Amino acid sequence: MYIIVGGGGDVGYYLTRYLLQQGHEILLLEKENGRFQTLSEELGQSVLKGDACEARTMEEAGARRADAVIAVTGEDEDNLVICQMAKKRFNVARTIARLNNPKHEELFQRLGIDVTVSPTKAILSLIESELPGQRFVLLMNLKRAGLEIIQIVVPSLSPVVGKPLSQINLPRRSNIALIIRGNEPIIPTADVIIEANDEIYALVNREGEEELRRTFGNA
């Protein structure tokens, strides 16, 4: 794939290096001269000096043939402009934006950005999952499919404790993908008995999330 990365900060640098190692054709755009010099010393011709927010730079970068454009600057406004221009002007099929402020997520979705990645939300989810007594954690949002991957820790007083999965009334649009008991992974089958403190990993749509919470006693 040919991928253009906008923003040569730490995220852009490590992303570019990783994608190059995977065999992709990558061009990293960085507008600040000092940073460009530093990047080009290691990444060579995989770095282009220019502002990814400018159409002229994107034209020079060959955006019309790009399979994807990834915007990872430290400014949400710049990332939005980069992705919007890539999609509207250069007809790039796939746009991915770093989202620094989670409050902007809905705006990015409304404006047609294919994928938003929020480091803040990811870190919060990791911290949340480690907090004592935390029973429900959103692990990942699969926006294009309208689904979420969630983790539920079954409370000791949950009505499902002691019941096999076949007797639990799960939401129609949900799927139990994995159960972890202690350190042991368990493949969910109809006859698996749910125990207190089981970690349930489920795939569910947004409408079914609350119902799943209630089912396992996490509402």
Side-chain angles (χ1 to χ4, degrees), residues 11 87 119 129 132:
V11 175
K87 186 166 284 290
S129 68

Side-chain angles (χ1 to χ4, degrees), residues 3-9 11-12 15 19 27-29 51-53 58 68-86 92 94-100 108 113 115-119:
I3 303 171
I4 296 174
V5 178
V11 175
L15 176 61
L19 291 172
L27 189 61
L28 173 62
L29 305 181
D51 188 346
C53 292
M58 294 293 280
V69 167
I70 307 175
V72 290
T73 77
E75 301 294 333
D76 285 350
E77 294 82 0
D78 288 350
N79 293 337
L80 181 58
V81 168
I82 293 167
C83 289
Q84 281 259 283
M85 178 169 52
V92 177
R94 193 76 167 156
T95 55
I96 302 172
R98 173 187 177 185
L99 191 63
N100 299 285
F108 275 52
I113 308 306
V115 179
T116 56
V117 179
S118 174

Side-chain angles (χ1 to χ4, degrees), residues 168-186:
I168 298 173
N169 187 23
L170 297 172
R172 181 178 301 176
R173 295 187 179 180
S174 67
N175 182 49
I176 306 300
L178 179 67
I179 300 170
I180 295 182
R181 183 171 296 156
N183 294 320
E184 179 187 358
I186 299 172

Side-chain angles (χ1 to χ4, degrees), residues 8-207:
D10 287 343
V11 175
Y13 162 70
Y14 285 110
L15 176 61
T16 298
R17 195 173 72 170
Y18 172 78
L19 291 172
L20 285 170
Q21 291 171 350
Q22 300 305 305
H24 297 291
E25 181 187 359
I26 309 298
L27 189 61
L28 173 62
L29 305 181
E30 172 54 45
K31 63 182 180 181
E32 294 187 2
N33 189 60
R35 182 61 177 168
F36 165 74
Q37 293 295 337
T38 300
L39 291 168
S40 60
E41 287 174 7
E42 180 174 345
L43 300 175
Q45 295 183 348
S46 293
V47 188
L48 175 68
K49 186 177 184 300
D51 188 346
C53 292
E54 296 181 355
R56 180 182 60 183
T57 301
M58 294 293 280
E59 188 78 61
E60 184 181 352
R64 297 188 188 279
R65 70 178 184 88
D67 298 292
V69 167
I70 307 175
V72 290
T73 77
E75 301 294 333
D76 285 350
E77 294 82 0
D78 288 350
N79 293 337
L80 181 58
V81 168
I82 293 167
C83 289
Q84 281 259 283
M85 178 169 52
K87 186 166 284 290
K88 303 292 185 182
R89 181 160 183 167
F90 296 102
N91 298 314
V92 177
R94 193 76 167 156
T95 55
I96 302 172
R98 173 187 177 185
L99 191 63
N100 299 285
N101 187 340
K103 290 182 179 179
H104 298 154
E105 184 171 11
E106 185 178 347
L107 173 63
F108 275 52
Q109 292 178 4
R110 278 206 317 266
L111 294 177
I113 308 306
D114 295 307
V115 179
T116 56
V117 179
S118 174
T120 303
K121 288 183 68 175
I123 292 170
L124 287 174
S125 291
L126 287 172
I127 293 173
E128 189 179 24
S129 68
E130 296 301 324
L131 291 176
Q134 188 65 28
R135 296 289 179 177
F136 183 95
V137 180
L138 172 63
L139 298 176
M140 183 178 294
N141 196 331
L142 307 175
K143 298 179 184 66
R144 295 184 72 193
L147 297 172
E148 299 172 342
I149 299 175
I150 61 175
Q151 175 196 21
I152 297 173
V153 179
V154 180
S156 58
L157 298 179
S158 170
V160 304
V161 170
K163 291 184 178 181
L165 276 175
S166 60
Q167 294 181 17
I168 298 173
N169 187 23
L170 297 172
R172 181 178 301 176
R173 295 187 179 180
S174 67
N175 182 49
I176 306 300
L178 179 67
I179 300 170
I180 295 182
R181 183 171 296 156
N183 294 320
E184 179 187 358
I186 299 172
I187 302 301
T189 59
D191 57 349
V192 169
I193 306 295
I194 299 300
E195 296 183 5
N197 297 313
D198 280 354
E199 296 178 23
I200 309 293
Y201 294 83
L203 193 65
V204 64
N205 68 357
R206 291 178 182 176
E207 291 74 20

